[in-house]
Amino acid sequence: MSEPTDDPKPLKVIVADDQAAVREPLAAVLGMSGDIDVVAAAADGTEVLAAVAAAPVDVVLMDLRMPVLDGIETTRRLSEEHPEVAVVVLTTFADDDSILAALGAGARGYLTKNAGRQDIVRAIRAAAAGQSVLDREVQDRLLATARARPSATDRALPADLTPREREVLTLIGRGLPNRAIAEKLFISEATVKTHINNLFAKAAIRDRPDAVRRAIAAGLA
């Protein structure tokens, strides 16, 4: 039975998974939600990028482990080349490296394959609306990781961070790529990069996944 929606325009979604036994039933089930139009089912990242280039897409439901081009690199390319397309990861993997890599690449949501259809549909709708969605298992994992590293740099951010640098860190922690951060803060992408460089130097942040972890540890994301 179709679920009610206030938006008559269906969301255009790509389902990406290298296993046909997963992506085909998932695409069929999502198509029954009433406000989701599955426009393509992709077996790897190259097929995702080709489908996005061919027609407008709102959300990609992305598996991480795929041949040819995996989900992390595909997410990174979409974030840079098609920031209007939201990525929701749907994977069996909930380890720290996978979660941080996906969020650092720009994924807006992260679900495990234990998620039910309604959870997936809600995550797709939220991602299309610019919101970040993490399922409970992923949230618990990230919090446990942050608490397990009680160094001084994890407990607090440097006092000399500017309000703008804190805003940028917050948005990185929510999975936004540089272009989306620039649009949200009404500044140029070059200015975002400058803030990130300053932020990383002041807070001794190694890379983007580390920034995601630090934002969560500081309660910003």
Side-chain angles (χ1 to χ4, degrees):
M1 182 176 180
S2 298
E3 298 180 11
T5 175
D6 294 329
D7 186 358
K9 182 180 179 182
L11 296 173
K12 297 185 181 301
V13 174
I14 294 174
V15 175
D17 195 296
D18 64 328
Q19 298 182 35
V22 173
R23 69 174 180 271
E24 292 175 3
L26 184 56
V29 168
L30 291 177
M32 298 169 60
S33 66
D35 62 341
I36 292 177
D37 179 14
V38 178
V39 296
D44 60 62
T46 60
E47 293 184 5
V48 171
L49 295 177
V52 170
V57 174
D58 297 302
V59 180
V60 177
L61 191 62
M62 185 85 72
D63 187 23
L64 291 185
R65 308 293 171 89
M66 296 185 293
V68 187
L69 189 65
D70 66 22
I72 298 295
E73 182 58 29
T74 305
T75 299
R76 184 174 293 110
R77 294 193 191 183
L78 287 174
S79 296
E80 293 299 326
E81 300 169 14
H82 302 279
E84 74 282 1
V85 178
V87 173
V88 174
V89 170
L90 181 65
T91 180
T92 57
F93 302 95
D95 58 282
D96 296 350
D97 290 344
S98 296
I99 295 169
L100 292 174
L103 297 179
R108 199 169 290 170
Y110 198 112
L111 304 176
T112 66
K113 289 184 177 176
N114 292 327
R117 181 183 72 86
Q118 291 184 341
D119 295 327
I120 296 172
V121 169
R122 279 195 292 266
I124 289 173
R125 291 171 180 159
Q131 303 168 11
S132 294
V133 178
L134 306 176
D135 73 13
R136 177 59 61 183
E137 181 180 354
V138 172
Q139 289 179 18
D140 290 346
R141 183 81 185 189
L142 287 173
L143 288 172
T145 300
R147 290 166 182 160
R149 302 182 183 183
S151 67
T153 54
D154 279 338
R155 286 196 299 270
L157 294 170
D160 61 345
L161 286 187
T162 67
R164 181 64 89 190
E165 288 163 355
R166 285 180 174 271
E167 284 182 304
V168 170
L169 180 58
T170 298
L171 296 176
I172 290 175
R174 293 175 182 171
L176 272 65
N178 289 358
R179 191 177 302 177
I181 293 173
E183 292 173 354
K184 194 170 188 66
L185 298 180
F186 301 102
I187 57 179
S188 71
E189 194 169 350
T191 301
V192 171
K193 291 178 181 178
T194 298
H195 286 312
I196 289 174
N197 289 338
N198 293 338
L199 164 66
F200 280 25
K202 290 179 181 179
I205 294 173
R206 297 186 302 274
D207 50 29
R208 207 171 186 97
D210 189 35
V212 172
R213 182 180 62 80
R214 291 290 299 282
I216 292 168
L220 298 179

